[in-house]
Amino acid sequence: MLLRNKTVVISGVGAGLGHQVAAACVREGASVVLGARTEANLAKSAAQLDPSGARTAWRATDIGDETQCAALAELAVERFGGIDAVVHVAALDSLFGGLRDADFDFWHRVVDVNLLGTLRMTRACLPSLTARGGGSVVVIGTQSSVAAPSQVQQAAYAASKGGLVSAMYSLARELGPDRIRVNTVQPGWMWGPPVQAYVRFQAQSEGVPEAEVLARLTERMALPELATEADVAETVVFLASDRARAITGQSLLVNAGELMR
């Protein structure tokens, strides 16, 4: 078990990637502390992960609020004695469009959640990570921050996640002396609820089978299928574990080979 006896704080736990990350961490022996804005999603996820509740804890958390970030970190210490890893899944990705039609008030909100919110949550966990003698911070980024997709336009989301990659370099250097590693996982098209909904919508709009829409996405991949949320979760587990003890300041694309760098 890669995460035996470790405690992992995970933000943005809902029905998709956040839950998959939490499930992979529990499978690998970790206790997990779940945060998200919606209590119902947290309660459902925790019950599915461990009905006994012995290895899960959760608290409604808006990463835009520094006090709530601190409360989630405190919960991890209270329940499990400390924090060994932090995984940032929480993000605001509902704004579509580019510069011409930009609502900069909404852009500001996207940057505040995705960039500053991640930094708030990280800072809240630093005292416990340091007390443990080090640990891992894993940020979920996006391939769109380095290569804009032609199918959808999410300039604000991509820019905010690109800012996180730049911040990662500074954090890796700053926190390295305390043996805290900071890395980013950058999914491309990732099979899960959001992409499933996109495929379904496009198929209905065009009057074509869903398989045809999916084929357009996979034809650009070196591997003949999309990476899944579970695939991304496995990468997160590796970077959170001691197996990645010498890896910091790195971005890893999980995209079935659509973009190679």
Side-chain angles (χ1 to χ4, degrees):
M1 290 186 176
L2 294 181
L3 301 176
R4 186 187 296 276
N5 298 326
K6 293 188 181 296
T7 298
V8 182
V9 174
I10 306 168
S11 72
V13 177
L17 179 58
H19 179 79
Q20 291 291 336
V21 169
C25 289
V26 169
R27 185 201 69 214
E28 292 298 327
S31 297
V32 295
V33 180
L34 315 177
R37 289 182 300 170
T38 306
E39 289 192 4
N41 289 343
L42 291 168
K44 181 179 180 180
S45 185
Q48 292 174 344
L49 293 168
D50 179 18
S52 74
R55 293 171 56 198
T56 60
W58 59 268
R59 178 166 289 166
T61 305
D62 180 350
I63 62 172
D65 185 316
E66 198 159 2
T67 300
Q68 293 185 39
C69 291
L72 187 65
E74 289 166 6
L75 176 63
V77 175
E78 292 167 4
R79 278 292 308 276
F80 303 115
I83 300 170
D84 299 287
V86 186
V87 182
H88 298 287
V89 183
L92 180 57
D93 61 359
S94 58
L95 179 61
F96 291 83
L99 178 62
R100 287 187 173 88
D101 56 354
D103 178 342
F104 286 122
D105 288 336
F106 205 156
W107 270 64
H108 188 276
R109 174 63 177 157
V110 171
V111 172
D112 183 65
V113 171
N114 297 353
L115 175 56
L116 299 182
T118 298
L119 298 178
R120 289 186 194 101
M121 193 67 244
T122 299
R123 186 164 69 175
C125 295
L126 286 183
S128 184
L129 287 166
T130 303
R132 289 283 228 214
S136 176
V137 177
V138 183
V139 178
I140 300 298
T142 174
Q143 179 177 290
S144 65
S145 67
V146 295
S150 58
Q151 294 86 353
V152 294
Q153 195 172 44
Q154 287 183 292
Y157 177 68
S160 66
K161 291 292 190 176
L164 267 178
V165 173
S166 295
M168 174 194 71
Y169 298 128
S170 295
L171 293 177
R173 185 68 67 182
E174 176 187 355
L175 305 180
D178 290 317
R179 298 189 182 278
I180 298 172
R181 299 176 290 107
V182 188
N183 294 289
T184 302
V185 177
Q186 296 180 310
W189 287 92
M190 176 178 59
W191 191 247
V195 172
Q196 290 169 346
Y198 168 81
V199 169
R200 189 179 310 115
F201 173 79
Q202 287 297 116
Q204 292 173 351
S205 298
E206 299 174 25
V208 299
E210 292 183 16
E212 181 177 324
V213 178
L214 182 59
R216 292 181 210 152
L217 300 179
T218 58
E219 68 182 4
R220 298 191 306 275
M221 314 296 176
L223 300 172
E225 60 182 332
L226 298 187
T228 67
E229 290 179 341
D231 294 324
V232 174
E234 296 295 341
T235 307
V236 169
V237 164
F238 167 69
L239 289 173
S241 78
D242 293 339
R243 297 281 181 89
R245 62 182 296 273
I247 301 174
T248 194
Q250 305 301 318
S251 296
L252 181 57
L253 288 161
V254 183
N255 63 3
E258 178 185 11
L259 173 68
M260 302 184 192
R261 302 185 74 198

Coordinates of all heavy atoms in Angstrom, one line a residue, residues 17 140-147 149 157 185-192 194-195 217 220-221 226-229 232 252-259:
L17 N -13.8 13.4 -10.2 CA -12.3 13.2 -9.9 C -12.0 13.2 -8.4 O -11.2 12.4 -8.0 CB -11.5 14.2 -10.7 CG -10.0 14.1 -10.5 CD1 -9.5 12.7 -10.9 CD2 -9.2 15.2 -11.2
I140 N -4.2 19.5 -9.2 CA -4.8 19.1 -10.4 C -4.8 20.3 -11.3 O -5.5 21.3 -11.1 CB -6.2 18.5 -10.2 CG1 -6.2 17.3 -9.3 CG2 -6.8 18.2 -11.6 CD1 -5.4 16.2 -9.8
G141 N -4.0 20.3 -12.4 CA -4.0 21.3 -13.4 C -4.9 20.9 -14.6 O -5.9 20.2 -14.5
T142 N -4.5 21.4 -15.8 CA -5.2 21.0 -17.0 C -4.3 21.2 -18.2 O -3.4 22.1 -18.3 CB -6.4 21.9 -17.2 OG1 -7.0 21.6 -18.5 CG2 -6.0 23.4 -17.2
Q143 N -4.4 20.3 -19.2 CA -3.7 20.4 -20.4 C -3.9 21.7 -21.1 O -3.1 22.2 -21.8 CB -4.0 19.2 -21.3 CG -3.3 19.2 -22.6 CD -3.6 17.9 -23.4 OE1 -3.2 16.8 -23.1 NE2 -4.4 18.1 -24.5
S144 N -5.1 22.2 -20.9 CA -5.5 23.5 -21.6 C -4.7 24.7 -21.2 O -4.7 25.7 -21.9 CB -7.0 23.8 -21.4 OG -7.3 24.1 -20.1
S145 N -3.9 24.5 -20.1 CA -3.1 25.7 -19.7 C -1.8 25.7 -20.6 O -1.1 26.7 -20.6 CB -2.7 25.5 -18.2 OG -1.9 24.4 -18.0
V146 N -1.5 24.7 -21.3 CA -0.3 24.7 -22.2 C -0.7 24.4 -23.6 O 0.1 24.7 -24.5 CB 0.7 23.6 -21.7 CG1 1.2 23.9 -20.4 CG2 0.1 22.2 -21.7
A147 N -1.9 24.0 -23.9 CA -2.4 23.8 -25.3 C -3.9 23.9 -25.3 O -4.6 23.0 -24.9 CB -1.9 22.4 -25.8
P149 N -7.6 23.7 -26.3 CA -8.3 22.8 -27.2 C -9.2 23.5 -28.2 O -9.5 24.7 -28.0 CB -9.2 22.0 -26.2 CG -9.4 23.0 -25.1 CD -8.2 23.8 -24.9
Y157 N -10.3 29.7 -17.1 CA -9.9 28.4 -16.4 C -8.4 28.1 -16.7 O -7.6 27.8 -15.8 CB -10.8 27.3 -16.8 CG -10.5 26.0 -16.2 CD1 -10.6 25.7 -14.8 CD2 -10.1 24.9 -17.0 CE1 -10.3 24.5 -14.3 CE2 -9.8 23.7 -16.5 CZ -9.9 23.5 -15.1 OH -9.6 22.2 -14.6
V185 N -0.5 17.6 -11.7 CA -1.0 16.6 -12.7 C -1.9 17.3 -13.7 O -2.8 18.0 -13.2 CB -1.8 15.5 -12.0 CG1 -2.4 14.5 -13.0 CG2 -0.9 14.7 -11.0
Q186 N -1.6 17.2 -15.0 CA -2.4 17.9 -16.0 C -3.2 16.9 -16.9 O -2.6 16.4 -17.8 CB -1.4 18.7 -16.8 CG -0.7 19.9 -16.1 CD 0.2 20.7 -16.9 OE1 1.0 20.1 -17.6 NE2 0.1 22.0 -16.9
P187 N -4.4 16.7 -16.5 CA -5.3 15.9 -17.4 C -5.6 16.6 -18.7 O -5.7 17.8 -18.8 CB -6.5 15.6 -16.6 CG -6.2 16.1 -15.2 CD -5.2 17.2 -15.3
G188 N -5.8 15.8 -19.7 CA -6.4 16.2 -21.0 C -7.8 15.9 -21.0 O -8.5 16.0 -19.9
W189 N -8.4 15.4 -22.1 CA -9.7 14.9 -22.1 C -9.8 13.7 -21.2 O -9.0 12.7 -21.4 CB -10.2 14.6 -23.5 CG -10.4 15.8 -24.4 CD1 -9.5 16.4 -25.2 CD2 -11.6 16.5 -24.5 NE1 -10.1 17.5 -25.8 CE2 -11.4 17.5 -25.4 CE3 -12.9 16.3 -23.9 CZ2 -12.4 18.5 -25.8 CZ3 -13.9 17.3 -24.3 CH2 -13.6 18.3 -25.2
M190 N -10.6 13.8 -20.2 CA -10.6 12.8 -19.1 C -12.0 12.2 -19.0 O -13.0 12.9 -18.7 CB -10.2 13.4 -17.8 CG -10.2 12.5 -16.6 SD -9.6 13.5 -15.2 CE -10.7 14.9 -15.1
W191 N -12.2 10.9 -19.2 CA -13.5 10.3 -19.2 C -14.0 10.2 -17.8 O -13.5 9.7 -16.9 CB -13.4 8.9 -19.8 CG -14.8 8.3 -20.0 CD1 -15.4 7.2 -19.4 CD2 -15.7 8.7 -21.0 NE1 -16.6 7.0 -19.9 CE2 -16.9 7.9 -20.9 CE3 -15.8 9.7 -22.0 CZ2 -18.0 8.0 -21.7 CZ3 -16.9 9.9 -22.7 CH2 -18.0 9.1 -22.6
G192 N -15.1 10.9 -17.6 CA -15.8 11.1 -16.3 C -17.1 11.9 -16.6 O -17.4 12.3 -17.7
P194 N -18.1 15.1 -16.5 CA -18.1 16.3 -17.4 C -17.9 16.0 -18.9 O -18.6 16.5 -19.7 CB -16.9 17.1 -16.9 CG -16.7 16.7 -15.5 CD -17.0 15.2 -15.5
V195 N -17.0 15.1 -19.2 CA -16.7 14.7 -20.6 C -17.9 13.9 -21.1 O -18.3 14.0 -22.3 CB -15.4 14.0 -20.8 CG1 -15.2 13.5 -22.2 CG2 -14.2 15.0 -20.5
L217 N -12.5 12.7 -30.5 CA -11.6 13.0 -29.4 C -10.4 12.0 -29.3 O -9.3 12.4 -29.2 CB -12.3 13.0 -28.0 CG -13.5 13.9 -27.9 CD1 -14.1 13.8 -26.5 CD2 -13.0 15.4 -28.1
R220 N -7.0 11.7 -31.8 CA -5.7 12.5 -31.7 C -4.8 11.9 -30.6 O -3.7 12.4 -30.4 CB -6.1 13.9 -31.3 CG -6.9 14.7 -32.3 CD -7.0 16.1 -31.9 NE -7.5 16.3 -30.6 CZ -8.7 16.4 -30.3 NH1 -9.7 16.3 -31.2 NH2 -9.1 16.6 -29.0
M221 N -5.3 10.8 -30.0 CA -4.5 10.2 -28.9 C -3.5 9.2 -29.4 O -3.8 8.5 -30.4 CB -5.4 9.5 -27.9 CG -6.6 10.3 -27.4 SD -6.2 11.8 -26.5 CE -7.8 12.6 -26.3
L226 N -9.5 7.5 -24.2 CA -9.3 8.6 -23.3 C -8.7 8.1 -22.0 O -9.1 7.0 -21.5 CB -10.6 9.4 -23.0 CG -11.3 10.1 -24.2 CD1 -12.5 10.9 -23.6 CD2 -10.4 10.9 -25.0
A227 N -7.9 8.9 -21.3 CA -7.6 8.6 -19.9 C -8.9 8.8 -19.1 O -9.8 9.6 -19.5 CB -6.5 9.6 -19.5
T228 N -9.0 8.1 -18.0 CA -10.1 8.2 -17.2 C -9.8 9.0 -15.9 O -8.6 9.2 -15.6 CB -10.7 6.8 -16.8 OG1 -9.7 6.2 -15.9 CG2 -10.9 6.0 -18.0
E229 N -10.8 9.3 -15.2 CA -10.6 10.0 -13.9 C -9.8 9.0 -12.9 O -9.0 9.5 -12.2 CB -11.9 10.3 -13.2 CG -12.6 11.5 -13.9 CD -14.0 11.9 -13.3 OE1 -14.5 11.0 -12.6 OE2 -14.4 13.0 -13.6
V232 N -6.1 9.3 -13.7 CA -5.6 10.5 -13.1 C -5.4 10.3 -11.6 O -4.3 10.7 -11.0 CB -6.5 11.7 -13.3 CG1 -5.9 13.0 -12.6 CG2 -6.5 12.0 -14.8
L252 N 3.0 16.7 -14.8 CA 2.8 15.4 -15.6 C 1.5 15.4 -16.3 O 0.5 15.5 -15.7 CB 2.9 14.3 -14.6 CG 2.8 12.9 -15.2 CD1 3.9 12.6 -16.2 CD2 2.9 11.8 -14.1
L253 N 1.6 15.3 -17.6 CA 0.4 15.2 -18.5 C -0.1 13.8 -18.4 O 0.6 12.8 -18.6 CB 0.7 15.6 -19.9 CG 1.0 17.0 -20.2 CD1 1.7 17.2 -21.5 CD2 -0.3 17.8 -20.2
V254 N -1.4 13.7 -18.1 CA -2.1 12.4 -18.2 C -3.2 12.5 -19.2 O -4.3 13.0 -19.0 CB -2.7 12.0 -16.8 CG1 -3.4 10.6 -16.9 CG2 -1.6 12.0 -15.7
N255 N -2.9 12.1 -20.5 CA -3.7 12.5 -21.6 C -3.7 11.5 -22.8 O -4.1 11.8 -23.9 CB -3.3 13.9 -22.2 CG -1.8 13.8 -22.7 OD1 -1.2 12.8 -22.7 ND2 -1.3 14.9 -23.1
A256 N -3.3 10.2 -22.5 CA -3.2 9.2 -23.5 C -2.4 9.6 -24.7 O -2.5 9.0 -25.8 CB -4.6 8.8 -24.0
G257 N -1.5 10.5 -24.5 CA -0.5 10.9 -25.5 C -1.1 11.9 -26.5 O -0.5 12.0 -27.6
E258 N -2.1 12.6 -26.2 CA -2.7 13.6 -27.1 C -1.6 14.7 -27.4 O -1.4 15.1 -28.5 CB -4.0 14.2 -26.6 CG -4.5 15.3 -27.5 CD -5.7 16.0 -26.9 OE1 -6.0 15.8 -25.8 OE2 -6.4 16.7 -27.7
L259 N -1.0 15.2 -26.3 CA 0.0 16.2 -26.4 C 1.2 15.6 -25.7 O 1.2 15.1 -24.6 CB -0.4 17.5 -25.6 CG 0.6 18.6 -25.5 CD1 1.0 19.2 -26.8 CD2 0.1 19.6 -24.5

